């Protein structure tokens, strides 16, 4: 996308930029367009990661000891040991 600068820009305050060479002005517009594309890619990536975090958080809310120990006798024994340790009086 190439933008050609108008010779006069009434009412928008660009008269002071008349010292810019038209080629440089076009290059500046091209760089702005590239920056917009890059920022859009970053925005899209952030939106995707936000959705992934929301899904992960939702799944983490469903985790409990019963689900963690189902079919895993080693983990069930470890949690049982922890529970017994918490009920014993300190002495």
């Amino acid at each position: 996308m190439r933008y050609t600068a108008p010779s006069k820009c009434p009412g928008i305050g660009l008269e002071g930029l008349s010292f810019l060479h038209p080629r440089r002005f076009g290059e500046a517009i091209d760089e702005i367009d590239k920056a917009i594309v890059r920022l859009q890619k970053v925005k899209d990536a952030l939106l995707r990661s936000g959705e992934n975090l929301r899904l992960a958080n939702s799944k983490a809310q469903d985790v409990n000891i019963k689900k963690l120990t189902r079919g895993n006798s080693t983990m069930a024994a470890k949690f049982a040991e922890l529970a017994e340790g918490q009920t014993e009086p300190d002495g």
Side-chain angles (χ1 to χ4, degrees):
M1 173 175 16
R2 191 57 100 170
Y3 178 80
T4 307
S7 58
K8 292 183 181 180
C9 301
I12 58 174
L14 296 179
E15 294 83 8
L17 298 178
S18 61
F19 65 93
L20 288 176
H21 189 274
R23 182 178 60 84
R24 295 238 182 201
F25 189 78
E27 288 172 1
I29 296 297
D30 288 343
E31 289 301 317
I32 291 169
D33 289 339
K34 289 177 189 175
I36 290 170
V37 169
R38 286 191 305 267
L39 289 171
Q40 185 63 46
K41 288 179 182 178
V42 169
K43 176 184 174 185
D44 293 342
L46 286 171
L47 290 173
R48 282 191 307 270
S49 67
E51 178 64 15
N52 289 341
L53 286 172
R54 187 191 66 74
L55 290 171
N57 187 42
S58 176
K59 289 180 181 181
Q61 295 297 322
D62 291 336
V63 174
N64 58 34
I65 292 176
K66 193 172 196 176
K67 286 184 181 181
L68 289 174
T69 58
R70 184 178 308 146
N72 187 337
S73 58
T74 303
M75 287 306 295
K78 293 292 183 186
F79 281 115
E81 286 176 22
L82 284 173
E84 288 174 10
Q86 290 177 355
T87 59
E88 292 178 6
D90 291 339

